[in-house]
């Protein structure tokens, strides 16, 4: 339980609702950037979604042995490796796109841009699956949608 500004206890559900609202807003932005072909903006929004999904992960401090001051901070999670994979892959493809553009290699540029798009799409799908693992995505039901209206099994 957390305390609100009046000093009374407030349910943790409030923070969960806030997270879901933020994620919903970010996903709508991600979809809009994707549909408009704004791949860099799409990638930035996906990064913000990722940051919001790591809210429970603990930070690991690395300290100087002599001064005991923090010299670096990192997250300790296997999802970090996946994020780094996409980050590196996307960076390499953007570099490849720039090289092809400078060489006026249109077929190479088109291929690199297509690969960049596909990498963003894979990153998008991974984040949606990560949300399912965290219990932050819509639940799937086996029943037909019409049964929800009539409360029966179709």
């Amino acid at each position: 339980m957390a305390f609100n500004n009046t000093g009374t206890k407030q349910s943790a559900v409030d923070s969960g609702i806030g997270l879901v609202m933020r994620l919903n807003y970010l996903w709508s932005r991600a979809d809009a950037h994707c549909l408009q072909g704004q791949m860099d903006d799409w990638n930035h929004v996906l990064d913000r979604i990722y940051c919001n999904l790591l809210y429970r992960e603990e930070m690991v401090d690395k300290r100087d042995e002599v001064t005991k001051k923090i010299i670096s901070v990192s997250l300790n999670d296997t999802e970090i490796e996946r994020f780094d994979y996409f980050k590196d892959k996307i960076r390499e493809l953007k570099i490849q796109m720039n090289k092809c553009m400078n060489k006026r290699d249109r077929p190479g540029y088109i291929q690199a841009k297509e690969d960049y798009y596909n990498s963003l799409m894979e990153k998008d799908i991974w984040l949606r699956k990560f949300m399912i693992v965290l219990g932050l995505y819509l639940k799937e039901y086996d029943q037909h949608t019409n049964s929800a209206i009539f409360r029966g099994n179709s």
Side-chain angles (χ1 to χ4, degrees):
M1 289 286 204
F3 288 91
N4 62 20
N5 59 0
T6 62
T8 59
K9 288 185 180 181
Q10 184 174 336
S11 173
V13 172
D14 291 346
S15 60
I17 291 171
L19 175 64
V20 169
M21 290 175 65
R22 273 194 318 278
L23 288 168
N24 188 53
Y25 170 75
L26 288 169
W27 278 117
S28 69
R29 299 269 316 255
D31 289 342
H33 290 310
C34 171
L35 292 170
Q36 294 169 0
Q38 299 168 333
M39 293 193 298
D40 288 343
D41 292 333
W42 181 20
N43 190 40
H44 292 306
V45 174
L46 292 176
D47 288 348
R48 298 308 314 144
I49 291 168
Y50 175 71
C51 289
N52 277 271
L53 294 178
L54 290 181
Y55 71 102
R56 288 186 180 156
E57 294 301 316
E58 289 190 34
M59 305 289 283
V60 178
D61 297 340
K62 182 177 179 185
R63 296 184 176 268
D64 182 275
E65 292 180 23
V66 177
T67 64
K68 304 297 182 203
K69 289 186 179 184
I70 297 174
I71 56 176
S72 69
V73 178
S74 62
L75 291 163
N76 189 14
D77 185 42
T78 57
E79 296 302 331
I80 301 296
E81 291 180 55
R82 287 190 180 102
F83 178 79
D84 287 343
Y85 164 79
F86 285 113
K87 181 178 65 174
D88 293 343
K89 186 175 180 181
I90 289 165
R91 182 186 316 114
E92 290 170 13
L93 289 167
K94 287 183 70 169
I95 290 169
Q96 186 177 348
M97 284 170 51
N98 285 334
K99 285 180 182 177
C100 290
M101 195 166 34
N102 290 338
K103 292 180 184 178
R104 299 176 194 256
D105 175 9
R106 184 152 176 80
Y109 175 81
I110 290 170
Q111 183 62 54
K113 188 171 181 178
E114 185 176 311
D115 292 343
Y116 177 40
Y117 173 82
N118 287 333
S119 294
L120 287 173
M121 190 168 47
E122 289 169 354
K123 183 177 179 179
D124 188 303
I125 292 166
W126 160 64
L127 288 169
R128 292 173 194 268
K129 288 180 176 283
F130 187 29
M131 283 182 64
I132 290 170
V133 169
L134 295 173
L136 295 169
Y137 210 73
L138 294 176
K139 293 181 181 177
E140 295 178 356
Y141 293 98
D142 291 335
Q143 292 182 341
H144 191 275
T145 54
N146 289 341
S147 67
I149 296 170
F150 301 108
R151 299 187 200 283
N153 293 335
S154 295

